[in-house]
Amino acid sequence: MYISLTLLHTIILLLVHFSLLLSSCKAKCTAGCSVAMASYYLSDGSNITYISQLFGLPPQQIQRYNPGQDAMRVGSRVNIPFSCECINGDFLGHTFTYIAQSDDTYDKIASVAFANLTTAYWMERVNTFDPTRIPDSGPINVTLNCSCGNRHVSNEYGLFVTYPLRPGEGLSSIAKESGVPDKLLEQFNPDNNFSDGSAIVFLPARG
């Protein structure tokens, strides 16, 4: 069958375009992991009842992941277990439901209620409400990013903690506290800046 050079050229261009389109639409994740952790920083007013309501978990489950921590002290951190899911093939995370209050903003929910475990950017990304028109009451999506590790970096760790840095914390202090070498922390967080006191990083842990 005879095909003109012009038609052949058009077909090749269409195939190249289609190939590039498929490449750009390729899923960034295909699966999550059953358990991840969130490091929740306790501020004034935080207690086990408030935290269990915030994350929709029974107090006993939270206490199980925090053995020996009988008294929740302001300035300490509590481990919150949650499932790390591949959301829309785009990123790893988990969406919690928060009931908005009359004076809430995306930034306030992210920084105060969820102790910087997420950001106003992610709040806007997973909600349809305009930032200036958040309802006085009603459900708001709060998505926490998470990690299931990277087998190309290390297979030694199967549990990861979503950890919002506090002012004064950095690579050296986190490496010392977690017992994970700083080089490995950097490899697991190639796009995160440990020198930014407000960044969210992922810390490997031994289950």
Side-chain angles (χ1 to χ4, degrees), residues 7 13 21 30 74 77-78 91 95 97 108 128 140 160 195 199:
L7 178 58
L13 286 177
L21 183 63
T30 56
V74 172
R77 289 176 179 264
V78 176
F91 62 91
T95 299
T97 300
K108 183 179 179 181
T128 58
I140 300 289
F160 284 78
S195 63

Side-chain angles (χ1 to χ4, degrees), residues 17-102:
H17 177 74
F18 184 67
S19 176
L20 290 173
L21 183 63
L22 286 178
S23 177
S24 65
C25 294
K26 184 178 179 181
K28 296 178 182 178
C29 62
T30 56
C33 42
S34 59
V35 181
M37 304 288 279
S39 180
Y40 186 86
Y41 182 84
L42 293 171
S43 57
D44 289 335
S46 298
N47 55 49
I48 188 67
T49 301
Y50 173 77
I51 295 172
S52 66
Q53 292 174 347
L54 188 66
F55 291 96
L57 295 171
Q60 297 83 353
Q61 187 174 357
I62 296 173
Q63 291 169 336
R64 187 161 64 245
Y65 283 88
N66 296 274
Q69 191 167 337
D70 297 326
M72 294 194 169
R73 302 181 308 276
V74 172
S76 63
R77 289 176 179 264
V78 176
N79 293 319
I80 307 296
F82 64 97
S83 59
C84 184
E85 300 141 13
C86 178
I87 299 179
N88 299 327
D90 189 24
F91 62 91
L92 292 174
H94 183 93
T95 299
F96 295 90
T97 300
Y98 171 83
I99 304 302
Q101 309 297 315
S102 60

